[in-house]
Amino acid sequence: MDEIFQHIVNAMVLGSTYALLGIGLTIIFGIMRVVNFAHGELYTLGAYVAYGMVALLKLDFFSSILVAAAVGMLVGALIEFVFLRRKDLKNIDEVMLIMIGIMIVMQNLELLAWGGVAKIIPTPFSQDPISFGSISIAPTRLFVFGVAAVLLFIFYLGIERTRFGLAIRATFQDQDAARIVGVNVKRIYTLTFALGSAMAAVAGALLAPMFVATPMMGDLASLKAFAIVILGGLGNLGGAALGGFLLAFIEEFGASYISSAYRDAFGFLVIIIVMLFRPQGLFSVKERVG
Amino acid sequence: MNWTLFFVFVVVLGLLPVVWPDPYVLSVMGSAGIMIIAAISLNLLLGYTGQLSLGHAAFFGIGAYTSALMSLGFSVDLGFGLTWQVDAKPVWIAFLTAIVVTGFFGWLVGKLAFKVRGAYFVVITISFAQVMRMISLNWTDLTEGPMGLISIPALTLWVPGEGVISLTSKAAIYWLVLAIGILAYLLVAMLVNSRQGRAMIALRENETLATSVGIPVTYFLALATIISAAIAGAAGGLYSHTVRIIDPDVFLFIYTVTMVIMVIAGGKGTLGGPVIGGLIFGLMPELLRGVVGPEVQWVIYGVTMIAILLFLPRGLVPAFYDFIAWLRKPGAEQPRKSKSSLVQGANS
């Protein structure tokens, strides 16, 4: 029984970062209809920025996460401005391929810059796990969960309670109508992409201390982000958050009780199954196929 | 299709080992050729039915593994006291089995994945390739996992007077790839110029309209996927019997991306596109090797891909035809334009 609680705790921690990753991807898809293959690279970027700040510039871990968010935001805005603004976004395949091109370039620049050796990101937390009865959790993980949960909450407030959030929701529902009532859709696009990228970068900066940073870590992150987003329904923000936790639970329990070798395969199997029976996603009420 | 150009091209390629018998050149051309066959198969799906499959490496890999396993023989414990044992089969039988098996997987994926379109279809095909990779990595009884399969036998040929020979020399492999490449090209050319091909193009242009005039969507999409998968499987089989060693990396996403770049760069929905794009992107890594490191090669690769998508989104072959037409009659209505704008219309 305790074992199950331990798995639940692990899954919650993992799920919180997955949710960040998924929301970033799904907001970009929901608003711009862009399938962002570079998402995993922004995640990697976040991890390396955090590493650079902590290990090389001796910045503290907390500020390094903020720097990672800022860099992710900047790079995201740049990608949108340079590559996507000039393209007709309705042309979904071409945009997808441009994003794959960006993915290849970013990944190999990361390889060039950092080499293939995995980097360990030092954190100020002690290695000794905190125990609650028979359940133990490493302080780093607890911190990761806390930050992710706070960010998810801020994001929710931002979307639901601010004017900017209102503009985003309006663009989400109907671009033309949003444009008519004076929403600067182009600016929303840039901001959306920057915001989504920042979330991926933060997820990278948060997850990397739990594992290690490698240039190839983005590949799996991208695919997992897709799995999360598909679970929740493409473009469904709440669904992506739930999907993140769901994927973490599937992986954690699948790895513990079925086969740990196939840990990463469960997500893909779930994608295929969800696609076959509920292509609109598990948590969508309404079809949102572009 | 321009037959004269086709024959000139085939003769030039066929004579290459005679005029330039450099083993390195032939080996590079042979590997590029295998990727070109895969690109030709992808073009049928991407260019003619308009479905972007980003899991095409799965078919390539399934073909490679099936052909290798059939020619090596295997014995797998299925649990419940059952054993699945296959003795080593002659190489060509293994090769043909691989084509049939990949065709079956194509049918399966087509049947399942075509319930959805666009981004959803893309994600299903990616997931399919990933699951295949996980299986190849982890089902060690069958696939040897990350160790891969080694000592895969080469394909053989009966030559009058010589008896049965193994196709292991660089020139023999090159000709073998060329021959199968020509077969694949002609098969796709025949298909797209047939009634079936026109139905596929109609689906690409306007699915609702095509359905309304009675074209069975699922049937034609499944047909295209089966043939496309079978050709990709043949390319995979060729790979495993010429390189003679395979590992789970054949399922990597980057191979799918390579095939997609080849098709897009050359011009999707044109017969020559995958060949031209395949020659460029198949030879580029070799030309860059020695000049720059592998990371820089990939950066150049990615930048070229983005540049082509931004500036020549229809690909090189249509752009070339437009250019010829423009040379002949500057400013006038271009005869090819109507056809290529139709191709472009499919993407928008």
Side-chain angles (χ1 to χ4, degrees):
Chain A
M1 202 59 199
D2 291 341
E3 202 185 325
I4 290 182
F5 283 118
Q6 182 69 54
H7 288 312
I8 291 176
V9 168
N10 293 349
M12 287 300 284
V13 174
L14 199 60
S16 62
T17 47
Y18 279 1
L20 282 181
L21 202 57
I23 286 183
L25 188 67
T26 216
I27 193 175
I28 290 172
F29 182 83
I31 289 177
M32 305 173 68
R33 302 272 128 187
V34 170
V35 182
N36 183 12
F37 277 92
H39 206 64
E41 297 319 311
L42 285 150
Y43 167 85
T44 316
L45 184 74
Y48 273 112
V49 168
Y51 170 76
M53 290 298 138
V54 175
L56 305 180
L57 296 183
K58 307 294 176 209
L59 208 68
D60 67 291
F61 182 58
F62 311 101
S63 324
S64 77
I65 291 174
L66 289 178
V67 177
V71 172
M73 198 171 249
L74 200 70
V75 173
L78 207 67
I79 291 176
E80 199 281 334
F81 201 77
V82 176
F83 298 106
L84 298 181
R85 188 155 282 210
R86 52 188 302 157
K87 265 293 180 193
D88 176 13
L89 292 180
K90 284 202 189 75
N91 204 334
I92 197 163
D93 286 358
E94 263 176 31
V95 173
M96 203 162 358
L97 294 168
I98 289 183
M99 296 316 298
I100 293 179
I102 294 172
M103 175 199 94
I104 295 174
V105 172
M106 282 184 73
Q107 189 172 77
N108 286 286
L109 288 179
E110 276 149 10
L111 257 171
L112 263 181
W114 301 102
V117 187
K119 305 283 188 209
I120 297 160
I121 298 178
T123 60
F125 303 106
S126 87
Q127 294 297 314
D128 306 322
I130 305 168
S131 294
F132 303 101
S134 56
I135 302 158
S136 63
I137 179 168
T140 318
R141 286 175 181 247
L142 203 61
F143 170 74
V144 164
F145 179 75
V147 173
V150 168
L151 277 177
L152 288 174
F153 187 65
I154 293 176
F155 182 77
Y156 170 79
L157 283 185
I159 290 285
E160 291 293 327
R161 295 288 147 85
T162 64
R163 269 183 77 80
F164 170 60
L166 189 69
I168 283 202
R169 279 182 289 142
T171 315
F172 202 110
Q173 278 181 2
D174 192 328
Q175 276 185 32
D176 295 325
R179 211 174 265 129
I180 287 169
V181 297
V183 174
N184 186 342
V185 172
K186 281 200 163 165
R187 192 185 296 160
I188 292 288
Y189 277 177
T190 313
L191 285 171
T192 304
F193 210 93
L195 195 66
S197 304
M199 299 196 77
V202 170
L206 284 175
L207 260 186
M210 282 164 58
F211 305 110
V212 284
T214 72
M216 313 305 276
M217 69 195 265
D219 283 354
L220 209 54
S222 271
L223 293 166
K224 282 187 178 170
F226 283 129
I228 293 159
V229 162
I230 296 285
L231 281 174
L234 272 170
N236 181 336
L237 294 179
L242 282 175
F245 285 102
L246 192 61
L247 179 71
F249 272 88
I250 294 169
E251 282 186 6
E252 182 71 27
F253 281 87
S256 317
Y257 295 104
I258 304 173
S259 158
S260 58
Y262 284 93
R263 181 181 186 107
D264 294 326
F266 291 123
F268 303 115
L269 283 174
V270 169
I271 290 190
I272 294 177
I273 294 166
V274 169
M275 280 289 185
L276 295 181
F277 298 106
R278 248 190 103 77
Q280 71 273 39
L282 292 179
F283 311 115
S284 281
V285 224
K286 183 174 79 171
E287 185 106 343
R288 290 203 73 102
V289 181
Chain B
M1 184 161 57
N2 191 334
W3 283 105
T4 330
L5 202 65
F6 174 76
F7 278 116
V8 171
F9 207 67
V10 166
V11 168
V12 169
L13 284 176
L15 287 178
L16 183 80
V18 182
V19 271
W20 197 5
D22 182 52
Y24 174 70
V25 172
L26 292 179
S27 142
V28 168
M29 286 294 283
S31 331
I34 292 175
M35 285 311 284
I36 290 175
I37 298 174
I40 287 175
S41 80
L42 179 67
N43 187 37
L44 179 62
L45 212 52
L46 172 59
Y48 289 100
T49 68
Q51 303 297 324
L52 176 59
S53 156
L54 284 185
H56 225 64
F59 299 127
F60 185 85
I62 291 171
Y65 266 98
T66 311
S67 203
L69 284 168
M70 291 299 287
S71 60
L72 290 168
F74 59 93
S75 167
V76 178
D77 183 15
L78 295 175
F80 311 110
L82 291 170
T83 312
W84 181 26
Q85 184 165 358
V86 171
D87 297 324
K89 297 275 185 296
V91 194
W92 281 102
I93 305 276
F95 184 69
L96 292 175
T97 315
I99 294 175
V100 174
V101 169
T102 20
F104 169 75
F105 273 98
W107 173 79
L108 202 68
V109 170
K111 197 86 180 155
L112 300 178
F114 284 128
K115 288 182 172 181
V116 291
R117 294 285 186 282
Y120 291 83
F121 176 75
V122 170
V123 175
I124 286 202
T125 51
I126 294 179
S127 308
F128 173 64
Q130 284 299 321
V131 170
M132 284 299 149
R133 185 170 134 76
M134 301 286 171
I135 292 175
S136 69
L137 270 171
N138 292 308
W139 194 359
T140 38
D141 285 352
L142 182 67
T143 63
E144 303 290 330
M147 308 279 288
L149 296 168
I150 50 166
S151 347
I152 301 164
L155 285 163
T156 52
L157 185 68
W158 181 78
V159 183
E162 299 269 340
V164 176
I165 54 161
S166 270
L167 301 171
T168 47
S169 79
K170 297 288 179 229
I173 289 174
Y174 173 84
W175 274 318
L176 176 72
V177 171
L178 182 63
I180 292 182
I182 292 169
L183 279 179
Y185 180 91
L186 290 177
L187 178 68
V188 173
M190 267 167 53
L191 184 69
V192 298
N193 287 313
S194 72
R195 199 182 155 76
Q196 277 76 18
R198 286 195 298 275
M200 288 169 194
I201 294 169
L203 285 176
R204 178 191 72 190
E205 297 299 326
N206 189 333
E207 192 171 322
T208 321
L209 188 59
T211 317
S212 75
V213 295
I215 295 174
V217 181
T218 324
Y219 171 79
F220 280 110
L221 288 185
L223 181 72
T225 325
I226 291 172
I227 296 173
S228 173
I231 298 174
L238 265 182
Y239 176 85
S240 66
H241 292 295
T242 51
V243 180
R244 300 177 63 192
I245 171 165
I246 53 168
D247 61 29
D249 281 356
V250 289
F251 290 107
L252 282 181
F253 185 55
I254 202 69
Y255 286 109
T256 302
V257 173
T258 308
M259 295 174 207
V260 175
I261 301 177
M262 289 174 170
V263 174
I264 300 285
K268 63 179 170 181
T270 62
L271 288 167
V275 182
I276 301 300
L279 281 174
I280 295 170
F281 281 94
L283 301 181
M284 194 162 89
E286 294 303 330
L287 296 176
L288 290 175
R289 184 186 301 229
V291 186
V292 287
E295 290 91 4
V296 181
Q297 274 178 41
W298 277 109
V299 171
I300 295 174
Y301 212 95
V303 170
T304 316
M305 179 178 176
I306 298 169
I308 287 177
L309 284 160
L310 286 179
F311 303 112
L312 283 176
R314 283 157 50 218
L316 292 169
V317 171
F320 176 73
Y321 277 127
D322 284 354
F323 179 66
I324 298 286
W326 178 81
L327 280 185
R328 282 188 187 146
K329 252 188 197 172
E333 187 66 38
Q334 294 160 359
R336 282 261 168 191
K337 194 81 181 178
S338 59
K339 195 179 174 188
S340 33
S341 65
L342 198 73
V343 173
Q344 197 183 20
N347 318 326
S348 50

